[in-house]
Structure formats: structure tokens, C-alpha cells
Amino acid sequence: MRLILVRHGETPWNVTLQYQGQGQVPLNERGREQARRAADRVARYGATALYSSDLARAWESAELIGAVIGQTPVAMPQLREIDVGQWEGLTPEELYRRFPDHMAEYRRDPARTVRLGGESYAQLQARALQALMQIQEQHKPDDVVVAVSHGGTIRALLCHVIGLDLANFGRMWLDNGSLTELRMGRNGWRLLRFNDNAHVEDMVAEGGE
């Protein structure tokens, strides 16, 4: 089984480095073009199913991809981004200014510190693994599954697959519209490619979560 994870296209908050979490932030025009290019890449693989986070930026990306590959997106809330609670809409600079004690705790333990009113990265990973298990159980070994999700969610899955301590999630980066592929074999899931951005390499810029 092939699982192609697509990070949603760019949003205005990616540009301004604001934390989006589970906020309903739409794509900008650059993000829509990234999703269209991702669709053209994905189209060559003969996808048999398309899942998506139900947050606006992922869902719009999935609809653009689905229109090209002939698949209707299926909402999978477990693929949502981490709930950042009171972080939503703030930049990293604003967070450290407003919540210095909380951010000091976060720096000490980034995997298990619960965002104010939100989730921890460990909770995100547990939720994302539910989605991975559901996909594994519902599809045949020769299926090609596409799932549109978020940078944090995909990185949480990858930490599990490659056995990386979850505290190191910030050492990985995923560009908007990039592809990451997992394959299921006799020894479980394996990472085949990470942050494949060849189709959007002239459109990438480091943005917020």
C-alpha cells in the first residue's frame, strides 16, 4: 500500500507566520496553485482513495486534487492540525511576549506541553495514528491512497514511522503542497520520500505552522 501525504497549500497566515491550528483559514491564490500542481503530480499514481482533514485549507486543497484525479475527498478529522488553543493567530514573537512561563515550559518539553486551551504534540500524534490505522485497515495492499493534511500532523506520523523521538518534530520541515510517501510492507510502514517539492520548488517559502 502506498500512502501519499500532501501538505495543504499556502494560506495568508503561513505568510505572516501566525499559528493556524484548527482555525478555518482559507488558501491564498499561491496556495491554490500549489494544490493544483500537487494534483498534477498525484494524478500519475492512479490513486484509489482520497482523504482529507476537514479544516478549510486542507479541504480546499483536497477538492482541487480530487477534481484532477477523479476522487471525491472523504473527511477524516483525525488528520486535522494540532489544536493550538490560545496560540491561534499569534506569531512566535507574540507568544513569547504574552506567555513567557508557558513558552519556557514548551521549550523544556515540546512534545508533551499542552498548548494553552489546546493539545500537546503527543496528543496530536495519537490522533494521527488513529487515522493511519484506519487507512491501513480499510484498504488493500495494492491501493494508492492520498491524504491531505498539515505540517504538524504529517511530522507527528513520521516521528512514529522512523522511530524519532517526538521532541525532535521541529527538526523536520514540509513545504506547502509537498508530497511525502509511506509504503506498507511486511515490516510495517516505511518512509520512501519526504518533502518532495519538485512541482512547487519555485513557490516555496518557510512559513508558520
Side-chain angles (χ1 to χ4, degrees):
M1 185 189 305
R2 300 175 68 180
L3 175 59
I4 300 171
L5 297 160
V6 184
R7 187 187 178 198
H8 64 80
E10 186 182 272
T11 74
W13 284 18
N14 286 136
V15 177
T16 54
L17 305 182
Q18 293 169 266
Y19 283 96
Q20 298 177 101
Q22 296 188 2
Q24 296 290 6
V25 186
L27 299 180
N28 58 21
E29 184 50 46
R30 181 184 174 95
R32 285 186 282 274
E33 176 60 23
Q34 290 167 334
R36 286 189 286 264
R37 293 190 187 187
D40 290 338
R41 283 289 305 280
V42 170
R44 69 186 68 176
Y45 304 124
T48 52
L50 172 61
Y51 295 94
S52 179
S53 155
D54 57 354
L55 298 179
R57 57 196 187 273
W59 191 255
E60 186 178 357
S61 300
E63 288 184 321
L64 290 167
I65 292 170
V68 173
I69 69 173
Q71 294 288 338
T72 300
V74 175
M76 185 173 278
Q78 300 97 318
L79 291 173
R80 288 181 179 181
E81 181 59 281
I82 186 170
D83 183 348
V84 296
Q86 295 179 48
W87 293 26
E88 187 175 313
L90 301 179
T91 65
E93 181 182 0
E94 289 170 331
L95 276 177
Y96 279 94
R97 187 170 65 249
R98 293 192 190 186
F99 309 116
D101 293 341
H102 170 67
M103 295 310 293
E105 178 186 358
Y106 172 73
R107 288 179 66 88
R108 286 192 296 271
D109 191 357
R112 282 166 287 277
T113 298
V114 177
R115 276 72 167 158
L116 297 169
E119 294 178 297
S120 69
Y121 219 81
Q123 290 170 323
L124 166 65
Q125 186 184 61
R127 170 163 56 77
L129 288 173
Q130 292 175 359
L132 186 64
M133 182 63 67
Q134 185 175 332
I135 290 170
Q136 181 178 334
E137 291 175 347
Q138 293 184 356
H139 292 278
K140 302 187 297 294
D142 57 349
D143 280 351
V144 178
V145 179
V146 177
V148 183
S149 190
H150 306 264
T153 312
I154 296 171
R155 288 182 295 169
L157 283 173
L158 294 182
C159 285
H160 172 79
V161 169
I162 66 176
L164 182 67
D165 188 284
L166 191 56
N168 294 308
F169 68 85
R171 296 178 180 271
M172 294 183 281
W173 179 254
L174 290 164
D175 292 307
N176 292 109
S178 64
L179 310 182
T180 293
E181 183 176 348
L182 303 178
R183 288 200 189 183
M184 168 57 72
R186 65 183 61 184
N187 295 315
W189 290 103
R190 302 178 70 181
L191 175 63
L192 256 68
R193 52 179 166 154
F194 171 73
N195 196 37
D196 180 349
N197 65 2
H199 51 292
V200 292
E201 61 184 352
D202 60 333
M203 303 182 71
V204 299
E206 183 167 326
E209 292 301 317

